[in-house]
Amino acid sequence: MTKKIKHIKEAHSPENFSKVIIRKPKKNSVGLDSLKSSAFYMKKYMNPLQVPLLISKMNQKGGFDCPGCAWPDPDGHRSTIGELCENGVKAISEEATRKRIKAPFFEQYTLAELAAKTDFELGKSGRLTQPMYLPKGKQNYEPISWKEAYAVIGKELNALDSPDNAIFYTSGRSSDEAAFMYQLFVRAYGTNNLPDCSNMCHESSGKALSETVGIGKGSVTLDDLHEAELVIVMGQNPGTNHPRMLSSLEACKENGGKIISINPLEEAGMVKFTHPQKPMKLLRGGTILTDLFLQVNINGDTALLKAIMFNLWEKEQQSATKVFDHDFIAEYTSGFEDFMQALKQIDYNECVQLSGVSEELIEEAAEMIANKKRIIICWAMGITQHQNGVENIREIVNLLLLKGSIGIKGGGTCPVRGHSNVQGDRTVGIWEAPPQEFLDRIEERFHFKPPQKHGFDVVAAINAMYEKRAKVFFALGGNFLSATPDTNYTAEALQNTNLTVHISTKLNRSHLITGKHALILPCLGRTEIDVQKSGKQFVSVENSMGVVHSSEGVLKPASKNLKSEIDIVCSVAAATLGNKINLDWLGLKDDYHLIRDLIEDTIDGFKDFNKRVKQPAGFYLPNGARVRQFNTSDKKAHFTVNPLPNIKRLDTDFLLMTIRSHDQYNTTIYGMNDRYRGIHNERRVLFMNKEDIKAQKLKQGDVVNLRSNFDGTKREAPKFKIVEYAIPKGNLACYFPEANVLVPIDYFANISRTPAYKSVPVSLFW
């Protein structure tokens, strides 16, 4: 029997912190340091002969889409120097690395030995080059042929008592074509168990926006950001997570716009931006972005928004000029009276206290908002990953509705997505809770009745595996274990399965915490040329603002034995389903145009898909909120009444949020530094307020352990080095995935069930 690896105990944890360097946080972002960092990654990890080709084709019309974030590219002119950022370079250096993992690598290391490596070491081991199989009872992966791998999967799936005993996870980096065929296979197999990374990030946005404005996506375009009078950036760190967003914010400032940033940490990217492609900016030191910084408590956003809107209502009473857009409210919204009645009754002082922001700064923010119309509010995980994540976004919508700032040029909602096609995956059917209309379309087009019962989201999937109700775990991309909450619980859940399967480009921790037997299926990366029987192929992706466009790789594949995600999915479907439905799975993988025809037949907005996706900048999908067509039950945008969050913690507890370092994207660790925050050579650090350190009788550099107590269960994360930082009192921050072990599996957002990574009550011990 395969030895179970205890994830935390056997994973790397420093015995000392002798290499860590702590410097003063930066107040300026990008600039020359970013260019130097990009050059370092190109030189260290990439073939220098490939660099010019990659740089010239990344995010360009007719080129390949960055495998990192989903920030949109300009519809018109794009930079010929390079339409990319530092973290985009880091992302392609992972795919274009010179290093390869072949069979001898797995002969050399057992699972336990690999598990003892850091996530950084695992990721930098190189590209996977051939299918690998971990037989039952073995400690080393072995080579397996593609045909044999497909047979293993088909046999295991067909032996299950019910299709609902299988879990089919999806990362947001899969193409539209791969995702569509994946969901079609899973539904033909007989289940809606299609959890995906949306469940862990912007599910709260989708739920809140669908309810209030009728579409689970943002309403703005890239040009809207340039034309906004005011951009409010909440719970987001663009300088690290979406660096190309900074040039859009700079364009807003240059056009006379203002920016308010709201976050527990002041991030370098929102303080000042030095455009690396503008020599005069490099010489003069860049552009100051934030006009007003509101350092909110962790999960103090709803309280802050209520206090701001209360201020606006008071101005409405006192001013001859109306602050609210009453014409818009009367024609396009419902629920205004109930909302206003609740707003007038709030305890303003309580809201100020909970927010952590001074009354003077709240009044200044309200003054900036009062006389503006073209307002965009951007947000990310700092808003969504709380128990009240959905309510946070409803409150954002309330503010925009008061101002009539949705459905106008330069105004609207802007949830900033993570993975490059996470929004597209949902559009083409990766959803555990699909609308009935979509299921009906599947039945009409493919002549089989898809399952009607909603499937497992991420939290439910983990519980099902832990309770041994789910026997097979299949992942299309991603690093499930490191991305999910309650790491030890999730690890045990995965180890309770019969089979785990991962379609991947690189080694990650999820490959090491397996079922009774396991498969790693290596696939082409976004940067690589994809040739099938009908010739060279391209795929499509959807960016954060609803633009669908093509992506075509330019590099020779890392191995002749790699297959595309589409090829793998279709081959697994053929091996599992046989002739269960009348569909030529193997023929479809030979020509992706045929798959796009199926998407066009099934999903609204994709008319003439094959023709329009070849347009240089792609095409926009329909977006009702963008044109004030609110597809809600009453065709109105909805005001909502939302309570203040009830944050449960003991007097001795702190509130912890998990964050990314600058050398990181989601669970991928590019390096061991967090340059903007001044951290070098280490990740197990704990950002803490100076007064809190003193009150605990600690000092900077001390090493402490973290414990979360939730419903009587203790979860612990050992050895974090204290770093004194400008963070509100009572608040802590440290990196994920190292701190995910502290996030309880049953601590998640109301309605969306997104794990509450950003507000975990914890205590310290040493």
Side-chain angles (χ1 to χ4, degrees):
M1 185 174 179
T2 303
K3 177 188 173 185
K4 285 192 174 183
I5 298 171
K6 293 186 177 179
H7 174 73
I8 292 302
K9 289 184 179 178
E10 295 190 24
H12 173 83
S13 183
E15 294 305 315
N16 59 67
F17 292 84
S18 59
K19 294 182 180 180
V20 65
I21 298 172
I22 301 171
R23 296 189 175 123
K24 188 176 180 180
K26 301 279 188 180
K27 294 291 186 179
N28 199 344
S29 63
V30 192
L32 288 174
D33 283 345
S34 179
L35 294 175
K36 292 176 184 176
S37 175
S38 298
F40 169 82
Y41 278 86
M42 291 175 189
K43 180 179 179 181
K44 185 173 178 64
Y45 298 110
M46 298 165 64
N47 181 339
L49 297 178
Q50 295 176 340
V51 169
L53 177 62
L54 288 165
I55 297 303
S56 67
K57 289 295 185 180
M58 186 174 177
N59 295 324
Q60 297 291 350
K61 297 172 183 178
F64 66 91
D65 191 59
C66 176
C69 79
W71 189 253
D73 308 309
D75 292 335
H77 172 74
R78 298 187 186 176
S79 170
T80 54
I81 300 174
E83 195 66 51
L84 45 81
C85 68
E86 175 189 349
N87 272 8
V89 170
K90 293 173 184 175
I92 61 171
S93 75
E94 296 280 303
E95 284 195 8
T97 178
R98 295 187 294 265
K99 298 186 73 173
R100 303 286 183 266
I101 295 178
K102 298 181 180 180
F105 176 90
F106 290 104
E107 291 174 6
Q108 180 181 358
Y109 296 108
T110 65
L111 287 183
E113 288 169 338
L114 288 172
K117 294 179 178 290
T118 66
D119 291 329
F120 172 67
E121 291 167 337
L122 291 173
K124 292 303 182 187
S125 298
R127 285 290 300 277
L128 296 162
T129 57
Q130 61 191 111
M132 301 302 298
Y133 178 54
L134 180 72
K136 294 179 181 178
K138 295 292 185 69
Q139 287 297 303
N140 295 77
Y141 276 98
E142 306 171 354
I144 188 173
S145 71
W146 282 105
K147 184 178 179 180
E148 290 171 322
Y150 298 146
V152 167
I153 297 167
K155 180 180 179 181
E156 197 72 57
L157 288 175
N158 287 323
L160 295 177
D161 294 334
S162 164
D164 289 333
N165 295 144
I167 308 293
F168 298 89
Y169 175 73
T170 316
S171 160
R173 284 174 62 170
S174 302
S175 66
D176 290 333
E177 293 81 0
F180 182 79
M181 295 309 296
Y182 189 56
Q183 66 81 30
L184 188 63
F185 155 56
V186 171
R187 293 192 164 102
Y189 173 65
T191 185
N192 282 316
N193 286 348
L194 282 159
D196 74 320
C197 56
S198 286
N199 295 153
M200 294 181 282
C201 58
H202 270 292
E203 198 69 52
S204 297
S205 300
K207 296 293 186 185
L209 292 173
S210 295
E211 174 193 356
T212 56
V213 297
I215 185 170
K217 305 178 182 182
S219 67
V220 302
T221 68
L222 193 61
D223 287 343
D224 286 327
L225 274 167
H226 302 165
E227 298 185 27
E229 295 177 284
L230 176 65
V231 177
I232 303 174
V233 180
M234 302 185 67
Q236 185 191 357
N237 177 17
T240 287
N241 301 327
H242 309 90
R244 288 195 300 149
M245 181 179 174
L246 300 181
S247 60
S248 295
L249 295 176
E250 180 184 58
C252 173
K253 291 298 296 286
E254 290 175 344
N255 290 335
K258 300 291 185 181
I259 296 175
I260 298 173
S261 62
I262 302 171
N263 205 48
L265 300 179
E266 184 178 53
E267 303 288 12
M270 289 305 302
V271 178
K272 198 174 187 181
F273 167 57
T274 301
H275 202 304
Q277 296 184 16
K278 295 182 178 180
M280 294 308 296
K281 297 288 186 182
L282 288 170
L283 289 172
R284 295 173 181 172
T287 302
I288 294 173
L289 294 182
T290 294
D291 296 283
L292 178 64
F293 172 53
L294 305 180
Q295 189 170 37
V296 69
N297 276 327
I298 290 175
N299 205 13
D301 305 276
T302 288
L304 175 63
L305 289 167
K306 286 182 182 294
I308 288 173
M309 289 187 288
F310 188 86
N311 260 276
L312 292 174
W313 170 66
E314 288 189 327
K315 292 180 186 298
E316 171 87 0
Q317 310 310 302
Q318 299 163 4
S319 174
T321 304
K322 292 299 182 183
V323 174
F324 299 161
D325 188 337
H326 291 281
D327 291 339
F328 170 83
I329 291 168
E331 183 175 356
Y332 291 104
T333 76
S334 64
F336 176 67
E337 291 78 11
D338 290 342
F339 165 77
M340 284 307 304
Q341 182 179 356
L343 181 65
K344 294 172 186 177
Q345 294 174 354
I346 68 167
D347 184 332
Y348 179 75
N349 291 329
E350 181 187 15
C351 288
V352 172
Q353 180 184 8
L354 289 174
S355 75
V357 179
S358 71
E359 190 170 351
E360 292 75 20
L361 289 178
I362 291 173
E363 290 173 356
E364 186 176 344
E367 187 66 36
M368 289 177 68
I369 294 168
N371 62 349
K372 303 290 192 303
K373 174 79 169 179
R374 300 195 308 274
I375 302 171
I376 293 174
I377 302 182
C378 307
W379 68 90
M381 306 301 94
I383 296 297
T384 65
Q385 291 178 334
H386 301 280
Q387 278 191 309
N388 54 298
V390 173
E391 291 92 333
N392 283 341
I393 296 150
R394 287 174 177 168
E395 214 67 44
I396 287 171
V397 173
N398 283 338
L399 175 54
L400 292 170
L401 293 181
L402 284 176
K403 296 296 299 176
S405 297
I406 295 183
I408 61 170
K409 201 72 175 171
T413 57
C414 185
V416 183
R417 307 286 175 172
H419 266 143
S420 61
N421 197 39
V422 62
Q423 186 161 290
D425 285 357
R426 178 59 57 88
T427 296
V428 300
I430 299 295
W431 200 352
E432 82 286 349
Q436 188 60 47
E437 180 184 6
F438 177 77
L439 296 177
D440 292 343
R441 288 281 188 90
I442 293 286
E443 182 174 4
E444 178 185 349
R445 177 60 184 82
F446 297 100
H447 310 294
F448 73 88
K449 192 170 186 64
Q452 305 294 295
K453 180 179 66 174
H454 285 177
F456 296 143
D457 61 14
V458 163
V459 169
I462 295 169
N463 283 328
M465 291 187 288
Y466 188 86
E467 295 162 6
K468 301 183 180 180
R469 292 181 287 115
K471 304 293 187 180
V472 173
F473 176 81
F474 192 113
L476 177 57
N479 181 358
F480 186 79
L481 176 65
S482 293
T484 49
D486 216 335
T487 314
N488 286 336
Y489 182 91
T490 300
E492 187 168 345
L494 288 166
Q495 291 172 330
N496 284 342
T497 63
N498 292 335
L499 174 68
T500 49
V501 182
H502 294 274
I503 300 175
S504 304
T505 58
K506 301 179 300 141
L507 188 65
N508 65 53
R509 195 158 298 281
S510 294
H511 302 144
L512 314 178
I513 308 297
T514 72
K516 292 182 177 65
H517 58 146
L519 284 161
I520 303 173
L521 306 180
C523 66
L524 295 172
R526 189 76 62 79
T527 59
E528 292 172 312
I529 297 169
D530 182 357
V531 178
Q532 303 297 332
K533 283 186 179 180
S534 64
K536 191 176 180 182
Q537 306 293 315
F538 68 86
V539 295
S540 63
V541 294
E542 178 186 347
N543 66 35
S544 240
M545 294 177 181
V547 178
V548 177
H549 60 96
S550 66
S551 177
E552 186 171 339
V554 296
L555 295 184
K556 180 182 176 181
S559 166
K560 293 180 179 179
N561 210 12
L562 299 183
K563 293 185 180 293
S564 72
E565 290 181 328
I566 295 165
D567 189 337
I568 297 170
V569 167
C570 289
S571 298
V572 169
T576 304
L577 300 178
N579 297 319
K580 183 177 179 180
I581 68 170
N582 185 24
L583 196 66
D584 183 7
W585 297 99
L586 299 183
L588 287 168
K589 77 179 179 60
D590 292 338
D591 187 348
Y592 301 171
H593 289 84
L594 302 177
I595 298 173
R596 286 187 284 273
D597 286 339
L598 298 180
I599 294 173
E600 177 182 340
D601 291 345
T602 311
I603 301 170
D604 289 339
F606 286 88
K607 182 177 174 58
D608 296 326
F609 190 5
N610 272 306
K611 179 180 178 181
R612 290 197 294 158
V613 77
K614 293 178 182 177
Q615 296 171 173
F619 62 93
Y620 283 88
L621 290 173
N623 189 309
R626 191 171 287 161
V627 292
R628 293 188 170 179
Q629 293 177 0
F630 301 110
N631 295 315
T632 60
S633 56
D634 59 1
K635 304 303 179 184
K636 302 278 190 180
H638 295 173
F639 281 95
T640 54
V641 176
N642 305 292
L644 290 170
N646 179 22
I647 301 171
K648 297 179 180 179
R649 58 174 176 168
L650 302 173
D651 291 340
T652 57
D653 282 348
F654 295 88
L655 209 57
L656 171 75
M657 64 176 182
T658 64
I659 58 176
R660 296 172 181 165
S661 76
H662 191 61
D663 275 357
Q664 174 181 1
Y665 195 78
N666 292 341
T667 59
T668 303
I669 311 301
Y670 299 132
M672 296 299 288
N673 301 328
D674 192 357
R675 185 174 77 244
Y676 291 157
R677 299 190 185 106
I679 308 299
H680 299 266
N681 303 325
E682 189 52 69
R683 292 183 51 80
R684 297 190 76 87
V685 296
L686 180 68
F687 298 102
M688 192 171 181
N689 180 279
K690 180 179 181 178
E691 293 183 35
D692 287 334
I693 295 173
K694 184 177 179 181
Q696 294 288 314
K697 298 182 179 179
L698 296 166
K699 63 182 182 300
Q700 172 156 299
D702 283 347
V703 177
V704 298
N705 307 308
L706 298 171
R707 176 185 293 138
S708 69
N709 299 289
F710 188 82
D711 291 345
T713 301
K714 290 182 179 179
R715 296 168 175 86
E716 296 181 355
K719 296 184 179 179
F720 285 82
K721 189 179 186 71
I722 293 175
V723 174
E724 182 184 305
Y725 210 80
I727 186 171
K729 285 180 63 178
N731 294 188
L732 302 172
C734 55
Y735 304 127
F736 77 85
E738 288 83 356
N740 284 3
V741 65
L742 298 167
V743 184
I745 188 66
D746 44 2
Y747 183 54
F748 48 72
N750 307 319
I751 303 174
S752 73
R753 292 170 53 87
T754 296
Y757 300 94
K758 291 292 189 285
S759 51
V760 184
V762 300
S763 57
L764 310 181
F765 66 102
W766 53 92

